[in-house]
Amino acid sequence: MQTITLSLFEFDSVRARLWAFSQMGFARKAFASLEGLQFYKMMGAGAGAGFSTRPNFGVYTVLCAWPNEDVARNQLASAAVFNRYRIQASNSATLYLRPSSCRGEWDGGPPFDIDEGTEQSTPVVALTRATLRKRHLRRFWSRVPAISDRAEGDEQRLFMIGMGEVPWLHQVTFSLWQSTEAMEEFALNSKTHGEAVRRAYTEGWFSEYMFARFNLLGVEGTWPNLSADLIHVD
């Protein structure tokens, strides 16, 4: 069954941050040549909790899709490109995920394979990805601070980070929630995010949109608010 990995890397020194920024161009060939890799995206992150109008030049992420968990774990452990990132990083962690549902497209098609027998477990892992139309950038980003504050204050939210391939034009939000109900309450019914989603659909803010959910298989490494204990949330 397809396994998705999200690797998080933090870089403290100026030298390490310059190296990480350069890899957004230089490391693409190395990732693309990895055996078994079905889909990948290299992304930067936002400031604060990650969902922000300001970029964080100290955090970068790599999202990958693999044919199964064994291949994913072997490549993360042995591939030279991942080892280079870990050596340069002051902090790193990888989440192993199994897609449970997906609607919409990323770069013109669905990036994840959904097994019909996969049931949603807790915690609920959610990923939204949108390509913003330039004429709606100000409308979207003017709402981001209130949405971020609302999400950070939600006791049902276990983890959140905002990422993107191109700053301001592409937005990826990755989050973990204690339950499906908690995630949907924030996403659909909150005065901040829920209202923004409704306006985005009715006013055509996005040229491409995707929403996916996952089951959490494991966590390796260290990162604030992330640990293997999350798998056992009821």
Side-chain angles (χ1 to χ4, degrees):
M1 298 174 68
Q2 190 184 52
T3 297
I4 310 302
T5 57
L6 177 64
S7 298
L8 313 172
F9 300 97
E10 184 177 21
F11 304 90
D12 285 343
S13 69
V14 173
R15 181 177 179 275
R17 291 184 177 195
L18 290 173
W19 178 88
F21 182 77
S22 73
Q23 296 309 295
M24 295 296 284
F26 293 149
R28 293 185 182 278
K29 185 176 181 180
F31 280 114
S33 64
L34 291 177
E35 185 177 355
L37 187 63
Q38 299 171 325
F39 176 88
Y40 82 99
K41 286 293 178 182
M42 303 170 61
M43 296 177 283
F51 190 49
S52 170
T53 57
R54 296 177 293 109
N56 181 353
F57 293 106
V59 174
Y60 291 85
T61 70
V62 183
L63 178 75
C64 297
W66 310 93
N68 56 60
E69 188 174 351
D70 287 341
V71 171
R73 290 186 179 276
N74 288 337
Q75 288 288 37
L76 265 291
S78 62
V81 64
F82 282 111
N83 287 330
R84 288 196 293 270
Y85 267 79
R86 283 190 290 266
I87 289 171
Q88 294 289 339
S90 56
N91 198 28
S92 65
T94 293
L95 298 95
Y96 291 84
L97 311 163
R98 177 149 297 144
S100 57
S101 66
C102 183
R103 65 174 184 268
E105 297 183 339
W106 194 334
D107 285 353
F112 309 127
D113 297 332
I114 309 301
D115 189 297
E116 294 183 358
T118 303
E119 297 183 359
Q120 184 65 59
S121 64
T122 55
V124 178
V125 183
L127 183 151
T128 61
R129 189 267 181 183
T131 298
L132 301 167
R133 299 185 192 276
K134 292 182 180 180
R135 65 180 180 273
H136 294 300
L137 286 177
R138 180 173 294 182
R139 293 182 181 180
F140 175 84
W141 288 106
S142 66
R143 293 174 175 269
V144 163
I147 295 173
S148 181
D149 290 345
R150 167 67 173 79
E152 289 186 52
D154 196 315
E155 295 181 354
Q156 299 294 309
R157 179 193 59 81
L158 302 172
F159 178 77
M160 181 179 73
I161 185 170
M163 308 171 287
E165 304 133 87
V166 179
W168 300 294
L169 290 177
H170 293 160
Q171 175 61 36
V172 176
T173 304
F174 180 90
S175 55
L176 278 70
W177 299 83
Q178 289 189 358
S179 67
T180 300
E181 294 76 16
M183 185 272 296
E184 291 181 345
E185 177 65 24
F186 168 77
L188 302 177
N189 299 325
S190 66
K191 293 182 179 180
T192 54
H193 190 277
E195 181 184 350
V197 167
R198 286 188 288 274
R199 290 196 61 182
Y201 276 111
T202 58
E203 298 177 14
W205 292 4
F206 306 140
S207 61
E208 187 177 57
Y209 181 81
M210 189 200 73
F211 175 72
R213 295 181 189 179
F214 308 85
N215 292 330
L216 181 61
L217 302 177
V219 178
E220 289 184 348
T222 58
W223 201 268
N225 300 323
L226 283 178
S227 71
D229 294 338
L230 289 172
I231 302 173
H232 304 295
V233 172
D234 293 325

